[in-house]
Amino acid sequence: MVSSALRDLERAGYRRVLTAALGSHERQAFLSAGFAPVAWLHLLSRTLDELPSAPPIVLRRVRRSEWERVAEVDGQAFAPLWRLHATGIGEARRATPSNRMRVASDASDRAIGYGVAGRSGLQGYIQRVAVAPEAEGRGVGSALVVDGLRWLRARGATTALINTQFDNERALRLYLRLGFRLQDDRLAVLGTQLGTAA
Ligand SMILES: CC(C)(COP(=O)(O)OP(=O)(O)OC[C@H]1O[C@@H](n2cnc3c(N)ncnc32)[C@H](O)[C@@H]1OP(=O)(O)O)[C@@H](O)C(=O)NCCC(=O)NCCS
């Protein structure tokens, strides 16, 4: 299936293919089809019985008119490999049957951070957290993660998973401080080039 999908992508003109973040048991079919690791991620988990308190930061829904700004915040927060455009943020939201997205804004109501949480049955996910560089270190990231955790618990999830790049010490510190624990399994994003055959 992977090789067949790669042929379809090549015919459609794609030159590089990346997977989602995959656990060890999910990687084999891609490795056999020629994929190699592009980036490694920590996987962290926490139960939702006792939640940390959140900094007093007002969060609100995203407005239709500000998707471009939200994508801009994402682009400022993440290195190119990880950036999402508005469509990608929408896809991250639709990755689970139910989701919650919240935005933090500055005094002039301009979005400075956003977070996406998703739930599938008892399992919760903090899918995305991004804070504009000029707004870091004031509790926005913590407020977005704790908001997602509260929403997940209110909807019946019992655990939450989150992942972050190996070299993202800031995010790792934040998640450990908020009660997440590192899991033994690491995740990897795999990649392959297309159209290199003569
Ligand atoms: C990781 C990220 C979400 C953190 O967001 P943030 O808004 O800076 O997070 P917080 O302000 O809640 O916490 C960050 C630090 O500021 C400190 N802080 C929080 N509120 C504070 C305040 N009012 N005064 C001073 N310091 C404060 C926290 O103690 C924390 O310290 P630590 O780094 O030692 O843990 C943000 O840096 C980011 O978007 N990074 C790029 C994208 C990314 O990595 N996303 C997550 C990866 S999956």
Side-chain angles (χ1 to χ4, degrees):
M1 282 180 69
V2 174
S3 302
S4 156
L6 288 178
R7 283 193 295 276
D8 290 347
L9 288 169
E10 188 168 355
R11 272 196 294 275
Y14 290 93
R15 288 289 165 263
R16 187 174 184 224
V17 181
L18 296 173
T19 66
L22 304 175
S24 51
H25 59 290
E26 299 167 312
R27 295 199 278 270
Q28 196 48 52
F30 293 92
L31 295 171
S32 306
F35 281 77
V38 171
W40 290 94
L41 299 111
H42 291 297
L43 178 63
L44 299 98
S45 166
R46 63 159 293 152
T47 60
L48 297 174
D49 32 19
E50 276 185 41
L51 298 184
S53 56
I57 287 176
V58 178
L59 303 177
R60 58 168 174 78
R61 288 169 184 237
V62 61
R63 302 193 182 107
R64 249 178 233 168
S65 58
E66 67 185 350
W67 274 102
E68 213 170 292
R69 169 61 191 158
V70 168
E72 185 182 35
V73 168
D74 195 279
Q76 292 170 346
F78 285 96
L81 175 67
W82 307 106
R83 272 176 206 155
L84 293 178
H85 297 294
T87 343
I89 300 171
E91 282 168 10
R93 293 180 72 183
R94 289 190 296 277
T96 49
S98 62
N99 76 82
R100 173 178 173 99
M101 177 166 174
R102 284 296 181 267
V103 164
S105 45
D106 63 13
S108 47
D109 205 27
R110 188 164 178 262
I112 49 166
Y114 81 96
V116 175
R119 183 181 68 87
S120 179
L122 300 178
Q123 185 62 65
Y125 303 89
I126 300 295
Q127 304 272 41
R128 195 82 176 163
V129 187
V131 176
E134 77 271 12
E136 284 182 318
R138 295 185 219 152
V140 174
S142 306
L144 289 164
V145 174
V146 174
D147 173 81
L149 295 176
R150 284 188 186 152
W151 175 81
L152 287 168
R153 182 169 69 176
R155 293 300 173 101
T158 54
T159 52
L161 290 172
I162 197 161
N163 64 60
T164 189
Q165 312 92 293
F166 259 35
D167 56 355
N168 195 340
E169 287 168 21
R170 189 181 178 92
L172 184 61
R173 235 183 7 246
L174 176 73
Y175 301 154
L176 291 172
R177 191 163 45 76
L178 293 179
F180 284 89
R181 293 289 163 256
L182 275 168
Q183 302 301 291
D184 291 336
D185 198 14
R186 298 177 299 171
L187 304 179
V189 172
L190 308 179
T192 189
Q193 299 288 335
L194 298 176
T196 48

